[in-house]
Amino acid sequence: MEVCGGQTHAILRWGLDQLLPPGLRLIHGPGCPVCVTPAERLDAALALAACPEVILCSYGDMLRVPGSAAGADLLGARAAGGDVRLLTSPLQAIALAQACPARQVVFLAVGFETTAPATALLLRQARALGLTNLTVLLAHVRVAPAMAALLQEPGNQVQGFLAAGHVGAVMGTAELGQLVRRHRVPVVVTGFEPADVMAGLLRLVQLLEAGTPALANAYGRVVRQQGNGAAQAIMKEVFAVVDQPWRGLGPIAAGGYELAAAYRDFDALLRFCLPSAAVSPPPEPLASPCISGLILQGRALPPDCPAFGSACTPERPLGAPMVSSEGACAAYHRYRPPPP
């Protein structure tokens, strides 16, 4: 299983899966942070976007991800009069809060360990500047616990992982080493270029054929064993690890972050008295044919979905994997479109 959606896009774009011999099959993992953001967190963002005093801001992909109600997204909230803005960097929220002191700026913060340090830096700077009109709606998640959860699922078919190089660049390889020792599956850290993916896959096959459940780093030019110490330090200062639901996967032990006690005054859920994400996410709408939950678990491919390319397209998505630039459905629709 390749963990990251960026790897999935590289595999589809360059047809790498079509070069593989019979018996070697790639399973697409849940490595798209936009796709796995719980619907409850989107619902909270939609509720905030309806408040006249709030400026709700996030990354562009998040604006089109539906909440738990069919068709409800932040773009729709903006069309209905909500002040919803697109940011390309969390630090832009500081300038927005300074420019609008009479408004409450809420940043919907999503992503793996790759983007979490930037959110942590945002909060440290907001504290240093004494900003009182800036909060975050936190939805950062942790990748290694999700990999462990997939291995523990009944009927699991994952025999090895291609781990995401950008997460490894921040977190190092210690967590992955623990995963290997506990579950006895090989893991190879790799990158996103075609040569990186194939080099990682070759190393993974070598470990499987040798019967050696080991950790290997095929992305040594970027990933170091200890990771990025400065990024890890600021995350430890600002966040605390918690159990968290992943959309499509359900609750995952130690699967996400909340704000540490010293930063709770920046928590939008507390500031606006909103409920936190439920332990169990609500099911997809019964009327929807979308099977995004199975796709995020690696149990189905996008073309298996009856809505793929017909009722569900990038212009009119039913599920998050068709929305995000890292989503598996978006990758298939772009590089393996359904026949007309």
Side-chain angles (χ1 to χ4, degrees), residues 40-41 269 274-279:
E40 297 97 320
R41 207 45 52 95
L269 295 175
L274 293 170
S276 60
V279 173

Side-chain angles (χ1 to χ4, degrees), residues 125-140:
Q125 292 199 5
R127 164 136 301 165
L129 293 169
L131 292 177
T132 59
N133 65 327
L134 173 64
T135 53
V136 296
L137 190 56
L138 201 66
H140 285 298

Side-chain angles (χ1 to χ4, degrees), residues 39-51 53-54 56 74 104 106-108 135-138 264 266-278:
E40 297 97 320
R41 207 45 52 95
L42 265 299
D43 292 343
L46 290 166
L48 290 170
C51 298
E53 73 272 23
V54 169
L56 193 289
L74 288 171
Q104 288 289 325
V106 180
F107 175 59
L108 173 56
T135 53
V136 296
L137 190 56
L138 201 66
R264 292 276 171 79
F266 290 101
D267 190 333
L269 295 175
L270 298 178
R271 177 79 58 89
F272 296 95
C273 299
L274 293 170
S276 60

Side-chain angles (χ1 to χ4, degrees), residues 42-143:
L42 265 299
D43 292 343
L46 290 166
L48 290 170
C51 298
E53 73 272 23
V54 169
I55 301 173
L56 193 289
C57 49
S58 190
Y59 301 117
D61 282 353
M62 290 307 301
L63 305 192
R64 301 178 62 235
V65 177
S68 58
D73 60 28
L74 288 171
L75 278 184
R78 183 161 71 181
D83 194 345
V84 178
R85 306 192 191 189
L86 183 157
L87 300 185
T88 55
S89 165
L91 297 183
Q92 292 171 334
I94 288 181
L96 193 56
Q98 291 174 322
C100 306
R103 308 281 303 279
Q104 288 289 325
V105 175
V106 180
F107 175 59
L108 173 56
V110 305
F112 298 141
E113 292 94 332
T114 48
T115 55
T119 300
L121 181 61
L122 161 70
L123 294 177
R124 181 190 275 177
Q125 292 199 5
R127 164 136 301 165
L129 293 169
L131 292 177
T132 59
N133 65 327
L134 173 64
T135 53
V136 296
L137 190 56
L138 201 66
H140 285 298
V141 292
R142 303 176 67 235
V143 174

Side-chain angles (χ1 to χ4, degrees), residues 117-181:
T119 300
L121 181 61
L122 161 70
L123 294 177
R124 181 190 275 177
Q125 292 199 5
R127 164 136 301 165
L129 293 169
L131 292 177
T132 59
N133 65 327
L134 173 64
T135 53
V136 296
L137 190 56
L138 201 66
H140 285 298
V141 292
R142 303 176 67 235
V143 174
M147 295 165 68
L150 289 171
L151 292 172
Q152 294 168 354
E153 282 291 313
N156 161 60
Q157 298 184 46
V158 178
Q159 295 177 305
F161 283 108
L162 295 177
H166 51 11
V167 174
V170 175
M171 301 304 292
T173 59
E175 288 184 325
L176 297 174
Q178 295 172 9
L179 184 79
V180 170
R181 289 190 290 275

Side-chain angles (χ1 to χ4, degrees), residues 16 29 35 92 140 158 166 175 195-197 199 201 203 215-216 221 244 252 268 284:
L16 304 183
C35 304
Q92 292 171 334
H140 285 298
V158 178
H166 51 11
E175 288 184 325
D196 291 323
V197 175
L201 189 57
R203 186 72 184 105
L215 170 68
R221 69 181 187 276
Q244 180 148 313
I252 294 180
E284 296 290 342

